[in-house]
Amino acid sequence: QNCESDEKERSLLSEASLIFENRTDQDIQQILREVNNKTLAIAMRGLSGNARKRIFDNLSQGRTVTIIEEMDYM
């Protein structure tokens, strides 16, 4: 049962990575406006490097620092 849960989580993270890798900057910015920092930090921990880069490229410098600090805190 735990293995099945892990597989679902990996699948969802893979799909999320693809979503961010294949969207325009404008689409990403719109998504990011609707997500709070804690939720974003949790989600980003499992995303691919390319997806993380796309997100950080579309965040303000201040919010980027906040997200990185939140990720480090976890």
Side-chain angles (χ1 to χ4, degrees):
Q1 191 177 31
N2 193 23
C3 185
E4 184 178 315
S5 176
D6 289 346
E7 183 60 34
K8 282 183 181 179
E9 184 176 328
R10 278 191 292 277
S11 177
L12 287 172
L13 289 171
S14 177
E15 289 176 32
S17 289
L18 287 174
I19 287 170
F20 282 104
E21 290 174 14
N22 295 316
R23 298 282 187 207
T24 66
D25 287 345
Q26 186 177 16
D27 289 341
I28 292 171
Q29 291 165 12
Q30 184 174 0
I31 292 167
L32 294 175
R33 282 192 291 271
E34 298 179 22
V35 179
N36 71 47
N37 290 346
K38 186 171 185 164
T39 301
L40 183 57
I42 291 168
M44 286 185 65
R45 290 181 68 203
L47 293 179
S48 72
N50 288 337
R52 281 186 186 189
K53 182 179 180 336
R54 291 294 312 278
I55 291 170
F56 283 134
D57 287 348
N58 284 284
L59 288 174
S60 68
Q61 186 175 10
R63 191 165 181 205
T64 296
V65 170
T66 301
I67 297 299
I68 291 171
E69 288 173 351
E70 187 74 36
M71 290 170 67
D72 288 344
Y73 179 73
M74 292 178 204

